[in-house]
Amino acid sequence: MMKRKIFAPLLTGVMAVGLFAGCGAAQTKEAGSTNAGDSKPTAQAAEQVVNIYSARTYDVDTLLYKKFTEETGIKVNVIDGKAEELIERLKREGESTQADLFLTVDGGVLNTAKQAGLLQPVTSETIDQNVPKELRDPENQWIGLSTRARVIVYSKDRVKPEQLSTYEDLTSPAWKGKVLVRPSASLYNQSLLSSFIELNGEEKAEEWSKGLVANLARTPEGNDRDQAKAIVAGVGDVALMNTYYVGLLINSDDPEEVKVGKSIGVFFPNQETTGTHVNISGAGVTKYSKNKENAVKLIEFLTGTEAQTMVTNENFEFPVNAKAELPELLKSWGAFKTQHIDFNKLGVHNAKAIEIMNKTGWK
């Protein structure tokens, strides 16, 4: 994922929250304060803030937080980290946590946070209007901020789109030694396999994982960008990738990445069957939020038309708000049939998906 450029005010917030979440008296300080010896506690207490633990690390997020602060006067403090680590931190901090929002990029992880009792329900007519019901938790403990389709990308030089059809077909003899994937540690692939379990059962999911491993061009390595680069390098012909990475490559400042992005095609699999696997990026208000009202305001802002248009034009994710204006690249890919499953099920099946990956040799 793209590393965020931290603006100075945000960096101040990150440092301060880190102090509060540490130990002892520092935990009692107000988020946004800059040092333990500050002599103006009254002014700090009156400061409007919202503190985020985030597994989303994109430049557009920082731009949106800055814009939110300009419009509302509410400071946004961010701690970046891996979702699993942030969940453990929320558990460890309990009622003393300074986190108001938890952001991550996987429906399964959002469900894990919910099941661990780390989130609380949110009631907002604005959010309900911005985000369709199917992209919100049934109990409103998390709200979708964007979606990302996990598709088959292919070499425009060596593969014709009519040769592609389904995820399942990647296990056929035609793709022997030509398939590229990230390692099994990738949450994206774990959730893809979890969706197979939900739709087809454990036996079929294991059969698919085994067949995919048998057709790999190399031992799984790298991130989604690396799969695209491997296609262009001739290591393999097809790969599983999230579409927004293609957008980021084509719009990169690095000419080599632009070349890679333009050399691969995007294919939405399973259009005649279960639809293309789509995962969700979302936010939940933490159970012990000290600034719940501000947290809800930020979610309302992030799901609004303007913010959603920025998300899709800057990061090439699909917006959750239907009023957002898509960039030309996403329009060029056209409409596609999406997989319809309860996003919470991605978390329910995660452990079994990892077990299957280990069993079938998906390293």
Side-chain angles (χ1 to χ4, degrees):
M1 290 183 288
M2 180 176 289
K3 194 62 181 175
R4 181 161 46 227
K5 299 173 183 174
I6 305 294
F7 285 77
L10 295 177
L11 181 58
T12 299
V14 170
M15 294 171 64
V17 175
L19 284 173
F20 301 140
C23 60
Q27 291 183 335
T28 65
K29 287 176 63 60
E30 191 75 20
S33 176
T34 56
N35 67 74
D38 198 308
S39 61
K40 299 177 180 179
T42 302
Q44 290 172 17
E47 188 176 57
Q48 290 292 302
V49 300
V50 57
N51 301 317
I52 303 175
Y53 284 5
S54 178
R56 279 184 57 98
T57 51
Y58 304 112
D59 289 347
V60 68
D61 295 350
T62 302
L63 294 174
L64 288 168
Y65 300 153
K66 184 173 184 287
K67 189 172 183 61
F68 175 73
T69 298
E70 290 172 350
E71 292 186 6
T72 65
I74 301 171
K75 288 186 177 180
V76 179
N77 302 316
V78 183
I79 287 181
D80 291 328
K82 293 183 178 178
E84 299 85 352
E85 295 171 353
L86 295 175
I87 285 177
E88 290 305 312
R89 183 168 181 166
L90 284 169
K91 289 179 180 176
R92 186 172 64 249
E93 293 173 343
E95 294 185 33
S96 66
T97 188
Q98 295 297 318
D100 300 304
L101 274 180
F102 172 65
L103 269 64
T104 190
V105 294
D106 179 80
V109 172
L110 289 166
N111 182 61
T112 297
K114 173 187 173 183
Q115 296 304 321
L118 300 175
L119 307 179
Q120 61 174 299
V122 169
T123 302
S124 165
E125 290 185 5
T126 299
I127 293 173
D128 291 349
Q129 291 172 359
N130 289 344
V131 186
K133 187 177 181 180
E134 62 271 21
L135 300 179
R136 290 183 271 123
D137 173 59
E139 297 172 345
N140 279 329
Q141 292 205 28
W142 56 258
I143 296 96
L145 299 177
S146 65
T147 64
R148 46 271 301 279
R150 194 145 189 83
V151 301
I152 300 173
V153 297
Y154 60 93
S155 166
K156 289 181 177 177
D157 291 337
R158 303 187 297 276
V159 177
K160 296 179 181 179
E162 50 266 34
Q163 293 176 262
L164 299 165
S165 58
T166 64
Y167 298 110
E168 290 86 344
D169 185 60
L170 294 180
T171 66
S172 71
W175 301 109
K176 185 74 174 179
K178 298 179 179 178
V179 181
L180 295 156
V181 293
R182 290 171 73 141
S184 60
S186 163
L187 198 54
Y188 298 147
N189 287 334
Q190 291 172 11
S191 287
L192 174 61
L193 190 56
S194 292
S195 75
F196 271 61
I197 295 172
E198 174 65 16
L199 292 169
N200 307 312
E202 294 178 16
E203 186 175 340
K204 289 290 185 183
E206 181 175 329
E207 182 180 322
W208 179 74
S209 180
K210 184 178 180 179
L212 193 74
V213 169
N215 277 355
L216 292 181
R218 66 178 181 186
T219 302
E221 64 179 60
N223 55 30
D224 276 21
R225 281 188 179 86
D226 293 324
Q227 310 316 310
K229 292 174 183 176
I231 287 177
V232 175
V235 178
D237 287 350
V238 295
L240 294 173
M241 280 181 60
N242 286 344
T243 47
Y244 73 94
Y245 281 104
V246 179
L248 292 173
L249 284 168
I250 292 175
N251 291 276
S252 171
D253 293 332
D254 182 345
E256 287 302 313
E257 288 201 338
V258 175
K259 182 179 177 181
V260 169
K262 291 184 176 180
S263 299
I264 57 176
V266 170
F267 183 83
F268 294 95
N270 295 61
Q271 293 304 285
E272 303 299 324
T273 57
T274 53
T276 296
H277 173 66
V278 170
N279 206 332
I280 195 165
S281 174
V285 176
T286 62
K287 183 177 181 179
Y288 299 111
S289 169
K290 312 298 189 297
N291 305 284
K292 180 179 179 180
E293 184 177 344
N294 292 346
V296 173
K297 285 181 180 177
L298 180 54
I299 296 176
E300 291 173 340
F301 172 82
L302 293 175
T303 57
T305 304
E306 183 179 2
Q308 286 287 295
T309 298
M310 282 183 64
V311 166
T312 192
N313 280 273
E314 296 288 334
N315 213 45
F316 306 99
E317 297 171 88
F318 291 100
V320 295
N321 188 327
K323 295 180 181 177
E325 180 66 23
L326 293 175
E328 290 303 318
L329 178 64
L330 269 62
K331 289 179 182 177
S332 72
W333 293 336
F336 62 98
K337 177 182 176 182
T338 62
Q339 183 186 81
H340 288 289
I341 61 172
D342 178 354
F343 290 107
N344 287 319
K345 295 294 185 181
L346 301 180
V348 171
H349 297 306
N350 180 264
K352 177 56 70 175
I354 293 173
E355 179 184 325
I356 289 174
M357 287 170 146
N358 290 334
K359 184 178 180 180
T360 57
W362 190 332
K363 297 180 179 179

